[in-house]
Amino acid sequence: MYAILTLCFAHIKKRKIQNVLMAILIMLSTLLLTTSVTIIMNTNNIFEKTHHDSKGAHQILTMGKDIHNPITINNWWQEQQGVTASNLIPYRNLSGFTNGVKTSNLYLFMMNTPKTPFAIDRLLFSEGENQDYPTKGTIWIPTSMASTSNILLGDAIEFNTGEKAFTLSVSGIVVDLPFGGPFTTNARIWMNNSDYHKQFDTMIGSEQYMMALRFDDYQQSANYWKEFEKFLNGPYLESKMEYVDLYSFYLIINKIIGFIMIAFGIAMLFISLFIIGFSISDAILTNYKTIGVIKSLGLTSRKISATYVLQFGLLSVFSIIPGIIASTVLSRVIIESSLSYLKAGKHLTIIQDFRIIILLAVIILVIVILTAFIYSNKARHVEPVQAIKYGMSEFANHKVSRRSNNSNRFSNIVNLPFQLQIGLKNITKNMKSSILIIVLTAITSAILVFSAVILNSFISIKQNTPAWGYDSSHVVVTVNNDATFSKQQFEQFLRSDERIKNHAWLDQFTGVLPIEPNQPLNIHVDTIEGSFDDAGYETIFGLNPVNKNEIAIGINVAKALHKNLGDIVEVYIEGKQHHLIVTGIYQSIANMSYSARITADVIKVYNATYSASKQSMINLVDETLSAQIVDDLNNNFKSSVKAVTQQTLLDDVFKEVVTVFILPLSVIGILFIAVTFIIIFSVSRINVRKESGTYGIFKSIGMTSNTIRWSVTSGILFLSALGAIFGIFIGVKVIPVALQSIIVDYGLLKIPLVINWPITIGLSLLSVVVACLGCWISTKIVAKTSPRILLVE
């Protein structure tokens, strides 16, 4: 045992830098893997905890008075055993608000707040005093709205009904699960009862109602709905939000982050294992004569193998512990950032399940020890006689000679300069390390490229909005006040303006699709007066609807109904039954593709006087005039409409996503840049040590140290450039395809990417620069050492 310990610590002392770098690699692998596990584990747990603490709803129903009687429906649900139903909460709709100089375009539900705490769907206070209801002149707003619009307690917010404007101050910021997640375009504003009646009793239009349902056993909800629809003598024909709609977008970002971190954490672990094997093989080859002598003196192969196993086992233990500690900090930062909407108080309650983390640490340790054991078994094949004669096995000696000869022949054929020949020999004589460098720079390049592409895709979403399921119009106008709005005058203004190319009117209804008897699917139905194509809506299969018997459906609707192009869909809109032909299927992140598109002619089948007048989408001859058109429309129709650019709407929805993604992607990118530097430094150092005699001869015949270093670095430059090319392909093509398994449930069949090629190529070249820098620094030993010492070594 003493001999094993002596050899083990001798190996550690002899290669201090290499062992330190190896320890860092194992630590970073542990950091990424444990962080990803903690993120994935907490993403579900934090949402479930928040849903439990708030006695969260499983379904949200919204109703007017035109189709169903809200009071009758609420009474029926209140009588059911095993279901908790909230009271009806009245609300009015507004579009947008102004916070100082900033205008936001969220679709607002102005709620008449009942006394809290509610029976279900409770509000959890993130900031502000928890009171029974907002005091007069104040409101409570959701965390999502506060975060995206930079609203603080005490800020004054101005709302406009179209007839008048009024201002209320923020006295509370609350976690509002149903309407407070990422990608939301809605927000519930909780008002004092007297403020609500003062501002809205005289407002044109009808009051809407919202109620929440919480089931003792959510799995039994379908049975309740069968009984409910028997009571209605037909399907429920108004809006219904399901539990899956409530939680899905809280989880999507962290699922993507977790997937990326796990994938790259595993990649880093495999690279670490490869380096461990490479280091052991090199150590055995370097100390071949010594091992031969030791074996001839009676030390067994098993004990020699144990020295390497013990060495890397100790390195792993001292590396895994700081990796776990660092992961607790990193995971908290990422979770706090990505799930900030669920933060009720100063911090989220993050669960660190040390049983799982310790299990993962033990698995990493076992894998490292097994790898060390497998590679150290090469010491068993050391023959003392061959070791003393060749410094390696006879077979390996012939192999090295043959590879060297092949390299010389190739150099003679292409007639390369002498410096490049040195770099080429470095590549061909060390094939394993050459392959490692290509793989490593490919992975690092892929991470940097993918990070740049995914962030640029969100930042530049305006370039690819149709692929996300949105329109690509330049200006969007929302009608605030039907009483003061004249559609005829508005359209006359548009037609007389030469800057305007075309426009269309969009309205939205709730559609009900009877998938099975007593099991309807409630979806959003976009209705257009004009052309979907002119507005910029796209389909992934087929075409947008044009006629009154046609419909385009989202991919999740197509999947739920098992429908394809040309099939007939039965759908209820405003309580009227329609049978429509599927002309197109599209993807949309909005509403998770649980939506459909029809023309206004479908509504006119039962309502001949119908005219869409909720939202107008305007395209311009010159898009750069968008801001100018917005100002003109707001000035000319300020009492009835609100115009904004499409870019403003998209920024309100997606800017938070960019903020959340920046941190984890930056961390992963920086880690892999560091890993690339560490590994190439270590590999180059090993290769320089192998060729020290050759470099001593070069220096003794007059070749400068820098010339030798540039020659070695030229080989790394070639390998890393090759890896960077592969990395660009992986980052642009392979990783997005791998993410499809996650995003498809959220309504996207394919991630719409916007690639900025100069930035993409520039970042991929960063891995090349880091690789060359690692090699250049590692060869510094050539400059510091005299030719005589190099020859002796």
Side-chain angles (χ1 to χ4, degrees), residues 343-355:
K343 191 186 297 183
K346 292 185 178 180
H347 297 288
L348 290 169
T349 304
I350 296 175
I351 300 170
Q352 297 285 353
D353 193 334
F354 286 102
R355 293 172 302 174

Side-chain angles (χ1 to χ4, degrees), residues 706-717:
N706 282 345
T707 304
I708 296 172
R709 295 175 72 188
W710 279 119
S711 300
V712 176
T713 305
S714 66
I716 300 298
L717 174 62

Side-chain angles (χ1 to χ4, degrees), residues 168-421:
L168 300 170
S169 63
V170 177
S171 63
I173 298 174
V174 296
V175 176
D176 189 358
L177 277 183
F179 297 96
F183 301 104
T184 185
T185 55
N186 303 317
R188 291 197 287 196
I189 308 298
W190 300 90
M191 299 178 66
N192 176 276
N193 177 64
S194 61
D195 289 331
Y196 179 86
H197 287 294
K198 176 182 177 181
Q199 304 301 340
F200 298 122
D201 279 355
T202 59
M203 181 179 171
I204 303 297
S206 59
E207 195 170 51
Q208 305 287 311
Y209 295 91
M210 193 177 293
M211 64 174 286
L213 301 175
R214 181 179 174 88
F215 299 90
D216 292 347
D217 181 3
Y218 181 55
Q219 302 299 323
Q220 298 300 317
S221 62
N223 295 328
Y224 285 97
W225 274 85
K226 288 178 183 178
E227 296 301 317
F228 177 52
E229 296 196 336
K230 285 180 184 177
F231 169 75
L232 293 177
N233 294 317
Y236 173 75
L237 299 172
E238 299 203 56
S239 176
K240 178 178 70 169
M241 182 185 290
E242 285 284 355
Y243 179 68
V244 66
D245 303 322
L246 302 181
Y247 77 76
S248 58
F249 286 117
Y250 284 101
L251 309 184
I252 181 174
I253 294 175
N254 275 2
K255 280 188 176 181
I256 293 174
I257 292 172
F259 169 86
I260 293 169
M261 295 192 79
I262 284 179
F264 293 133
I266 292 172
M268 186 178 288
L269 180 60
F270 274 113
I271 290 169
S272 302
L273 297 178
F274 187 94
I275 288 294
I276 289 171
F278 183 82
S279 298
I280 293 173
S281 299
D282 173 70
I284 291 172
L285 187 61
T286 303
N287 299 305
Y288 212 86
K289 285 185 179 181
T290 305
I291 293 170
V293 171
I294 292 173
K295 289 186 77 172
S296 67
L297 293 174
L299 196 67
T300 64
S301 297
R302 182 175 295 178
K303 290 182 178 180
I304 294 171
S305 176
T307 62
Y308 296 106
V309 173
L310 181 60
Q311 174 189 346
F312 287 99
L314 289 173
L315 285 176
S316 297
V317 170
F318 287 106
S319 304
I320 289 171
I321 293 172
I324 291 173
I325 294 171
S327 77
T328 60
V329 177
L330 180 59
S331 58
R332 172 169 287 279
V333 171
I334 293 174
I335 292 168
E336 290 270 4
S337 172
S338 58
L339 293 179
S340 59
Y341 296 163
L342 298 177
K343 191 186 297 183
K346 292 185 178 180
H347 297 288
L348 290 169
T349 304
I350 296 175
I351 300 170
Q352 297 285 353
D353 193 334
F354 286 102
R355 293 172 302 174
I356 295 176
I357 291 174
I358 290 171
L359 176 62
L360 185 60
V362 169
I363 291 172
I364 293 172
L365 178 60
V366 169
I367 291 173
V368 170
I369 290 173
L370 282 174
T371 303
F373 175 75
I374 291 168
Y375 278 91
S376 64
N377 268 334
K378 291 183 178 182
R380 294 189 175 194
H381 304 295
V382 175
E383 296 293 337
V385 175
Q386 292 182 12
I388 295 169
K389 182 178 180 180
Y390 299 110
M392 62 184 74
S393 68
E394 189 173 357
F395 175 77
N397 183 59
H398 292 318
K399 191 175 179 180
V400 169
S401 299
R402 187 167 60 252
R403 191 177 293 165
S404 180
N405 291 334
N406 289 338
S407 177
N408 289 333
R409 289 194 196 103
F410 181 78
S411 298
N412 292 332
I413 291 171
V414 296
N415 197 24
L416 292 171
F418 185 66
Q419 293 181 17
L420 294 181
Q421 289 185 36

Side-chain angles (χ1 to χ4, degrees), residues 483-508:
T484 61
F485 177 70
S486 169
K487 184 176 179 181
Q488 183 178 358
Q489 290 180 6
F490 185 83
E491 292 201 320
Q492 185 177 353
F493 177 88
L494 297 183
R495 285 193 292 269
S496 63
D497 195 324
E498 294 181 352
R499 297 170 296 176
I500 294 173
K501 183 179 179 181
N502 57 53
H503 73 282
W505 289 93
L506 188 74
D507 209 346
Q508 193 172 81

Side-chain angles (χ1 to χ4, degrees), residues 154 212 247 257 270 351 389 458 462 468 527 547 629 635:
Y247 77 76
I257 292 172
F270 274 113
I351 300 170
K389 182 178 180 180
F458 284 116
K462 182 69 173 71
W468 291 91
T527 305
N547 301 310
I629 291 289
N635 290 332

Side-chain angles (χ1 to χ4, degrees), residues 1-14 307 310:
M1 188 63 188
Y2 178 76
I4 294 173
L5 290 172
T6 302
L7 287 171
C8 173
F9 288 113
H11 290 157
I12 293 174
K13 288 179 181 178
K14 187 177 180 180
T307 62
L310 181 60

